[in-house]
């Protein structure tokens, strides 16, 4: 369903309330009423009602003209994380991987058109933006996003590419559907994805898919490195074998826990019964 096609049950005021919460971030921990209204494309009156409702519920604190989120907002994410099995299964394997390669590693899932970090073990900060659990980036420009997109059913992959807003985040960013389709076919063939300074200058990453027991790719695990320290050849020769081994160990644990528990992580994608029964065709 496209953003403009809302079902009869859709509650737009709830959508706006969530937008207000998402308008606060690391760069904007405090906002005025006018800033919230502008960021969320709301009238001042609507923004005021939503903010004051969130204040009454304890999710937002008002200090004069400024509004800030309160720690209670963490409850919204904790409900998800406390029921998740995949990040819990992955974390010890990420620890082991990072101990071997001495570089940061993360587990991500697909949520809408973004990838979301659901587990992470960091060694050093190599990006301008701080990455934590819950951080999200456009899927098309990340190595993790590409290993997931490359294994989606054809119709779903085509739909996602058609609605993707391509932006040249760096001079190296793939910025056309045709080029991305070609890259996804290559990722599917080789079984991993490497992104070289497409998301941010100086950042390289390599990702491998994580499959459920039925063979469906439900997540991706990556290693991120600084381009000045690690060449593409070194990524393939020195990092990729450890990464693939870590992905295989996560998949082995998923086979032990069973598909019902593995599926509880919730990737934000709809999986039909037909897509479970047969391998996904190439995008």
């Amino acid at each position: 369903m496209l953003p403009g096609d809302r079902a009869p049950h859709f509650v737009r005021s709830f959508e706006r309330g969530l937008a207000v919460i998402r308008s606060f971030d690391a760069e904007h921990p405090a906002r005025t009423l006018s800033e919230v209204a502008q960021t969320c494309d709301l009238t001042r009156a609507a923004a005021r009602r939503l903010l004051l409702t969130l204040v009454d519920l304890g999710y937002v604190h008002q200090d004069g003209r400024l509004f800030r989120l309160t720690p209670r907002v963490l409850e919204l994410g904790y409900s998800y994380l406390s029921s998740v099995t995949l990040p819990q299964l992955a974390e010890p394997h990420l620890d082991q991987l990072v101990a071997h390669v001495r570089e940061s590693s993360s587990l991500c899932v697909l949520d809408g058109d973004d990838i979301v970090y659901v587990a992470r073990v960091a060694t050093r900060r190599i990006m301008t933006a701080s990455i934590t659990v819950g951080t999200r980036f456009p899927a098309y420009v990340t190595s993790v996003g590409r290993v997931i997109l490359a294994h989606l059913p054809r119709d779903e992959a085509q739909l996602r590419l058609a609605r993707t807003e391509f932006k040249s985040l760096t001079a190296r960013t793939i910025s056309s559907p045709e080029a991305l389709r070609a890259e996804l076919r290559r990722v599917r063939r080789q079984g991993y994805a490497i992104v070289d300074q497409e998301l941010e200058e100086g950042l390289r990453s390599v990702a491998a898919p994580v499959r459920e027991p039925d063979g469906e790719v439900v997540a991706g695990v990556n290693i991120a490195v600084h381009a000045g320290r690690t060449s593409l050849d070194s990524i393939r020769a020195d990092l990729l074998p450890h990464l693939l081994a870590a992905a295989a160990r996560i998949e082995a644990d998923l086979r032990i826990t069973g598909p019902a528990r593995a599926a509880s992580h919730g990737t934000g994608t709809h999986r039909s019964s037909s897509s479970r029964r047969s391998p996904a065709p190439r995008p």
Side-chain angles (χ1 to χ4, degrees):
M1 182 179 295
L2 297 177
D5 301 330
R6 300 305 191 189
H9 61 259
F10 192 83
V11 181
R12 190 166 296 277
S13 59
F14 185 68
E15 177 191 34
R16 291 169 177 165
L18 292 176
V20 168
I21 292 176
R22 291 198 299 269
S23 70
F24 297 91
D25 54 29
E27 296 180 0
H28 307 92
R31 287 189 181 273
T32 65
L33 170 60
S34 297
E35 289 171 341
V36 170
Q38 182 177 9
T39 301
C40 300
D41 194 23
L42 298 170
T43 65
R44 283 177 54 87
R48 181 177 182 275
R49 288 195 301 271
L50 291 167
L51 282 168
L52 293 181
T53 298
L54 291 169
V55 169
D56 290 344
L57 293 173
Y59 294 113
V60 170
H61 172 71
Q62 183 178 6
D63 183 10
R65 296 177 58 250
L66 293 178
F67 294 86
R68 301 174 184 271
L69 296 181
T70 71
R72 189 170 187 177
V73 170
L74 295 174
E75 294 177 355
L76 303 176
Y78 182 76
S79 297
Y80 166 77
L81 291 174
S82 63
S83 65
V84 168
T85 60
L86 183 54
Q88 295 167 353
L89 289 174
E91 283 178 358
H93 302 297
L94 295 184
D95 285 333
Q96 183 178 350
L97 175 61
V98 169
H100 277 103
V101 302
R102 300 184 184 280
E103 300 286 359
S104 299
S105 179
S106 305
L107 181 84
C108 304
V109 298
L110 190 64
D111 181 31
D113 296 324
D114 297 336
I115 55 102
V116 179
Y117 286 70
V118 295
R120 177 166 171 79
V121 177
T123 57
R124 60 179 66 87
R125 181 172 172 175
I126 59 174
M127 291 188 65
T128 302
S130 177
I131 298 178
T132 60
V133 171
T135 296
R136 56 200 304 135
F137 293 114
Y140 80 93
V141 78
T142 65
S143 58
V144 174
R146 289 180 185 173
V147 293
I148 300 175
L149 291 174
H151 292 84
L152 289 177
R154 180 187 296 273
D155 290 346
E156 184 176 351
Q158 297 290 12
L159 176 61
R160 289 178 182 276
L161 294 186
R163 71 190 184 199
T164 294
E165 183 181 355
F166 288 88
K167 296 180 180 179
S168 296
L169 302 180
T170 74
R172 300 170 182 260
T173 305
I174 288 179
S175 55
S176 73
E178 295 76 16
L180 182 59
R181 288 190 187 97
E183 177 63 17
L184 293 180
R185 287 193 292 269
R186 185 160 71 96
V187 168
R188 187 182 178 93
R189 287 195 303 269
Q190 66 189 15
Y192 64 90
I194 293 179
V195 169
D196 182 13
Q197 304 180 77
E198 293 188 47
L199 178 62
E200 181 174 307
E201 293 286 352
L203 176 69
R204 288 174 173 154
S205 65
V206 55
V210 174
R211 294 176 171 84
E212 278 192 341
D214 63 4
E216 183 169 1
V217 173
V218 293
V221 59
N222 80 342
I223 299 173
V225 300
H226 195 285
R229 295 195 317 267
T230 311
S231 67
L232 294 176
D233 287 342
S234 178
I235 287 176
R236 294 186 180 93
D238 303 327
L239 301 183
L240 181 59
H242 292 290
L243 178 66
L244 294 175
R249 290 193 297 270
I250 295 171
E251 291 173 351
D253 280 358
L254 286 176
R255 288 193 295 272
I256 294 173
T257 60
R261 285 174 56 81
S264 69
H265 62 78
T267 62
T269 60
H270 173 73
R271 299 187 298 165
S272 65
S273 58
S274 60
S275 69
R276 279 182 164 276
R277 287 193 296 268
S278 60
R282 296 180 181 177

